[in-house]
């Protein structure tokens, strides 16, 4: 029995793509968004040369080579004798990048409005009694006391929303919020 013939579909022209524009864009170098690297970049040098001068790796597969088992067995005896020759000193670019990475990001956690209303209602009704909160009729999702405690703690850890709650509580305007 013979094989079925392959049918080749006629290539169709894609009118929505500008191929010459795509080709030009592919030849452009990408914009450098890291300000430390952009400041230290030398335009007449290649990417590899620039990265080497900054003390960075242009190809991590070469820099952090994973040896094969065969190489490990052959180099086991030579390992003690041979020391790494490619120890690179930290440059200012690396120090600036490390400083920027060590700064913790600002928390921008925002809870949804229904969750905030739920937490406010439970705090106003029961205070810190999570077992009573679990039995409340407004506990639509049948959260356990631990789940409710977790939600309320996350509400307390959002400074903007919890601060607004405390401000309204001190001004006795929470009744308007709960209705």
């Amino acid at each position: 029995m013979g094989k079925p013939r392959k049918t080749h579909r006629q290539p169709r022209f894609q009118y929505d793509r500008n191929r010459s524009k795509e080709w030009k864009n592919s030849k452009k170098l990408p914009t450098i968004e890291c300000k430390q690297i952009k400041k230290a970049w030398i335009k007449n040098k290649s990417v590899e040369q620039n990265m080497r001068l900054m003390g960075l790796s242009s190809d991590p597969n070469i820099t952090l080579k994973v040896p094969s088992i065969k190489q490990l067995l052959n180099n086991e005896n030579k390992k003690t004798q041979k020391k790494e020759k490619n120890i690179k000193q930290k440059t200012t670019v690396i120090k600036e990048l490390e400083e920027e990475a060590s700064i913790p990001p600002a928390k921008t956690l925002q809870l949804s409005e229904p969750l905030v209303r739920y937490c406010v209602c439970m705090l106003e009704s029961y205070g810190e009694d999570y077992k009573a909160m679990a039995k409340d009729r407004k506990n639509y999702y049948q959260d356990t006391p631990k789940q409710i405690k977790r939600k309320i703690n996350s509400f307390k850890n959002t400074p903007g929303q919890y601060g607004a709650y405390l401000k309204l509580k001190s001004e006795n305007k929470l009744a308007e919020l709960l209705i």
Side-chain angles (χ1 to χ4, degrees), residues 3 62 74 77 84 92 118 124 143 145 177:
K3 294 181 182 178
I62 295 171
N74 289 337
N77 297 333
E84 289 186 26
T92 57
Y118 174 75
E124 285 301 307
D143 293 329
L177 182 67

Side-chain angles (χ1 to χ4, degrees), residues 2 9 45 54 64 69 79 91 119:
R9 192 169 57 112
K45 297 206 179 226
M54 290 181 227
L64 304 171
I69 296 172
K79 193 174 187 181
T91 61
C119 292

Side-chain angles (χ1 to χ4, degrees), residues 25-58:
N25 286 337
S26 71
K27 297 300 172 191
K28 284 184 186 176
L29 288 174
T31 56
I32 302 169
E33 297 193 13
C34 180
K35 56 186 171 186
Q36 292 88 355
I37 293 175
K38 192 173 189 176
K39 187 173 76 174
W41 194 267
I42 302 169
K43 289 187 179 180
N44 59 355
K45 297 206 179 226
S46 69
V47 174
E48 289 181 18
Q49 290 172 340
N50 272 308
M51 297 297 260
R52 196 176 316 118
L53 287 173
M54 290 181 227
L56 301 173
S57 173
S58 61

Side-chain angles (χ1 to χ4, degrees), residues 159-174:
Q161 292 172 327
Y162 189 63
Y165 159 70
L166 292 176
K167 186 177 178 183
L168 288 173
K169 187 176 179 182
S170 66
E171 295 173 1
N172 295 326
K173 293 184 179 180
L174 274 176

Side-chain angles (χ1 to χ4, degrees), residues 42-98:
I42 302 169
K43 289 187 179 180
N44 59 355
K45 297 206 179 226
S46 69
V47 174
E48 289 181 18
Q49 290 172 340
N50 272 308
M51 297 297 260
R52 196 176 316 118
L53 287 173
M54 290 181 227
L56 301 173
S57 173
S58 61
D59 188 5
N61 294 325
I62 295 171
T63 313
L64 304 171
K65 213 172 211 177
V66 179
S68 66
I69 296 172
K70 188 176 181 181
Q71 290 173 342
L72 285 173
L73 293 174
N74 289 337
N75 295 334
E76 199 172 75
N77 297 333
K78 299 176 185 177
K79 193 174 187 181
T80 54
Q81 299 169 358
K82 190 177 182 181
K83 293 184 179 179
E84 289 186 26
K85 296 178 182 177
N86 297 333
I87 298 173
K88 298 174 182 174
Q89 296 178 350
K90 292 185 178 180
T91 61
T92 57
V93 176
I94 294 176
K95 289 178 184 176
E96 290 175 4
L97 289 171
E98 286 176 350

Side-chain angles (χ1 to χ4, degrees), residues 2-9:
K3 294 181 182 178
R5 281 187 159 183
K6 290 184 180 178
T7 57
H8 294 285
R9 192 169 57 112

